[in-house]
């Protein structure tokens, strides 16, 4: 399956192998985007937003096609996304005190600067906080994506034709 079809077309069905490959690519782009957002210049911010939106659309397409393979609506991705948000919050709340203990102080300092109306100082705290929690955020992204992708990849696909097309078959690789 061509890469652009895998990541940017919501139509059709995909098997677990292509699904996992798509998720791995999207996670990789997300990691690079997060690192560049934290350590790149402020001029990268608009690019980062566009990349984030493209990655989110890619997730919709990849998960949607995997759900289609089961004969389900791609709209169920909304539930998967909600599960992602909840699981990510839980994982980050566990990992942050362990891996980024200074984050709480930075959050308090940032809140203090915001209440005093000192935006410039709050921005400095925000940048420091982003650097402090970057590893935790990336690890949480990996864990959360791995858990949900594993569960969705394990869905049994319809063996025959369904409303979303023929079963994925033949060459399961992408170009």
């Amino acid at each position: 399956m061509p890469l652009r079809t895998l990541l940017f077309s919501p139509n059709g069905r995909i098997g677990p192998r292509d699904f996992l490959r798509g998720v791995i690519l999207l996670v990789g782009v997300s990691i690079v985007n997060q690192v560049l957002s934290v350590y790149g210049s402020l001029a990268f911010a608009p690019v980062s937003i566009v990349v984030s939106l493209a990655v989110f659309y890619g997730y919709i397409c990849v998960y949607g096609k995997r759900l289609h393979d089961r004969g389900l609506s791609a709209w169920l991705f909304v539930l998967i996304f909600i599960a992602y948000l909840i699981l990510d919050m839980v994982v980050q709340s566990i990992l942050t005190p362990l891996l980024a203990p200074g984050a709480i102080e930075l959050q308090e300092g940032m809140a203090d600067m915001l209440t005093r109306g000192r935006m410039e100082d709050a921005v400095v705290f925000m940048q420091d906080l982003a650097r402090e929690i970057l590893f935790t955020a990336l690890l949480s992204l990996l864990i959360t994506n791995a858990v949900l992708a594993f569960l969705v990849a394990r869905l049994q696909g319809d063996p025959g034709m369904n409303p979303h097309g023929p079963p994925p078959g033949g060459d399961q690789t992408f170009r």
Side-chain angles (χ1 to χ4, degrees):
M1 172 176 291
L3 192 56
R4 70 179 175 280
T5 304
L6 176 66
L7 298 178
F8 299 112
S9 171
N11 302 319
R13 299 166 61 176
I14 56 173
R17 230 170 97 185
D18 277 342
F19 168 74
L20 290 173
R21 288 179 177 158
V23 170
I24 289 168
L25 285 168
L26 292 168
V27 168
V29 171
S30 295
I31 288 171
V32 170
N33 190 40
Q34 261 188 295
V35 170
L36 289 176
S37 294
V38 170
Y39 288 105
S41 72
L42 198 55
F44 183 71
V47 174
S48 178
I49 292 169
V50 171
V51 169
S52 295
L53 291 172
V55 166
F56 186 71
Y57 183 71
Y59 275 113
I60 292 170
C61 293
V62 171
Y63 273 88
K65 283 188 284 219
R66 185 69 195 124
L67 292 167
H68 285 170
D69 190 41
R70 180 67 182 115
L72 302 170
S73 170
W75 280 102
L76 287 175
F77 175 74
V78 172
L79 296 177
I80 293 169
F81 183 63
I82 291 169
Y84 175 87
L85 293 175
I86 292 168
L87 184 59
D88 190 60
M89 282 190 294
V90 169
V91 171
Q92 282 204 36
S93 68
I94 292 168
L95 292 178
T96 300
L98 299 172
L99 301 175
I104 295 168
E105 281 181 33
L106 290 169
Q107 284 175 328
E108 290 169 355
M110 184 177 65
D112 183 49
M113 293 300 139
L114 287 172
T115 56
R116 293 184 194 188
R118 296 171 55 190
M119 277 308 270
E120 298 82 20
D121 295 332
V123 169
V124 171
F125 275 95
M126 220 178 302
Q127 291 168 335
D128 291 342
L129 178 63
R131 288 185 184 98
E132 177 75 21
I133 65 169
L134 179 63
F135 179 71
T136 304
L138 294 177
L139 189 57
S140 178
L141 177 112
L142 286 171
I143 291 169
T144 306
N145 271 285
V147 168
L148 291 176
F150 175 77
L151 293 173
V152 173
R154 304 254 321 146
L155 288 175
Q156 192 67 33
D158 287 342
M161 190 78 149
N162 75 17
H164 305 287
D171 184 16
Q172 289 283 315
T173 60
F174 59 88
R175 293 176 229 121

